[in-house]
Amino acid sequence: EVQLVESEGGLVQPGGSLRLSCAASGFPFSSYSMNWVRQAPGKGLEWLSYITSSSSTIYYADSVKGRFAISRDNAKNSLFLQMNSLRDEDTAVYYCVRGAPGKRFHYFDPWGQGTLVTVSS
Amino acid sequence: EIVMTQSPATLSVSPGERATLSCRASQSVGVYNLAWYQQKPGQAPRLLIFGATTRATGIPARFSGSGSGTEFTLTINSLQSEDFAVYYCQQYSDWPLTFGGGTKVEIK
């Protein structure tokens, strides 16, 4: 069974940092691209970042570019999101999501259960 | 950025009836670069349709997708109780990847 399990989020002060991790199992992690997607409370879905299987290509949404960094460790079947300079508007549930097979299509399947990050003083 | 617009925001449907959800892109996303997701309260989204028309593994045949270019439709035939949820479309024609604002399908 494919599983994606995010680390616990938590409460962070504005301007602070947090590193999320995602443990993948049940599939050849090193063969798939991965993404982070978030959802603010009561709001819709926002794609944040993409990383290819080999980490050779990375993309970010403008809303997090320069503040967030995606990375992965294929030996440990893990995906990471380093979040710096956090703002109130970064408060959301963060989902670790597997990309589609191959490099051409970029839909998301499956999704982790999500972890809540709250940015507040 | 390609803006995805879903309508209606809320759709009230009786069990057993058909629901038709629309998704419009601000520019063409081609024939295959559109996915649909279902999200129930307190749960992560689940992939329903990719390539605009292809059902994901395990998705019942009552869910169907159609469309191309800028206009796409998700149809749910004979709504079951478990189908009442929020549905999102997503384009993957260009970066950044973008979602529509969602359509909530509620019990009439």
Side-chain angles (χ1 to χ4, degrees):
Chain A
E1 179 192 6
V2 174
Q3 279 199 315
L4 299 168
V5 180
E6 296 93 345
S7 58
E8 196 167 326
L11 176 63
V12 184
Q13 289 192 335
S17 298
L18 188 66
R19 189 191 197 210
L20 299 181
S21 61
C22 170
S25 61
F27 67 100
F29 180 73
S30 61
S31 297
Y32 283 82
S33 63
M34 297 295 295
N35 299 263
W36 288 97
V37 176
R38 72 182 177 186
Q39 185 171 36
K43 302 297 184 181
L45 302 168
E46 179 187 17
W47 168 81
L48 297 180
S49 187
Y50 161 88
I51 186 169
T52 54
S53 57
S54 64
S55 303
S56 59
T57 300
I58 287 173
Y59 295 124
Y60 296 101
D62 285 347
S63 59
V64 302
K65 196 175 297 181
R67 300 189 300 124
F68 290 13
I70 192 172
S71 63
R72 63 190 294 161
D73 183 340
N74 287 343
K76 296 183 178 180
N77 290 344
S78 295
L79 177 72
F80 304 100
L81 185 67
Q82 177 66 44
M83 304 186 292
N84 300 326
S85 302
L86 284 161
R87 307 166 179 166
D88 290 353
E89 56 264 34
D90 294 319
T91 294
V93 173
Y94 287 73
Y95 294 101
C96 166
V97 194
R98 190 180 71 174
K103 296 183 179 181
R104 182 179 173 189
F105 301 116
H106 304 289
Y107 54 86
F108 308 124
D109 181 50
W111 299 57
Q113 85 284 358
T115 189
L116 177 62
V117 174
T118 302
V119 183
S120 175
S121 54
Chain B
E1 173 176 321
I2 298 176
V3 177
M4 307 300 291
T5 302
Q6 291 186 243
S7 61
T10 303
L11 187 61
S12 298
V13 185
S14 298
E17 292 188 339
R18 173 184 298 172
T20 302
L21 289 66
S22 295
C23 174
R24 175 176 294 177
S26 60
Q27 63 191 75
S28 177
V29 300
V31 178
Y32 302 112
N33 301 310
L34 194 285
W36 289 94
Y37 303 86
Q38 176 193 65
Q39 186 177 33
K40 298 179 181 179
Q43 296 184 16
R46 175 176 70 147
L47 177 69
L48 292 177
I49 301 281
F50 62 93
T53 61
T54 303
R55 282 189 303 277
T57 301
I59 302 303
R62 64 180 181 271
F63 291 91
S64 63
S66 62
S68 65
T70 61
E71 300 283 345
F72 297 87
T73 300
L74 174 69
T75 301
I76 313 171
N77 287 309
S78 189
L79 268 159
Q80 305 296 303
S81 57
E82 62 265 30
D83 300 335
F84 293 96
V86 179
Y87 293 84
Y88 295 94
C89 62
Q90 176 236 333
Q91 67 80 20
Y92 45 94
S93 173
D94 198 6
W95 303 93
L97 308 179
T98 49
F99 292 89
T103 291
K104 181 180 181 180
V105 178
E106 64 176 24
I107 301 175
K108 186 174 182 180

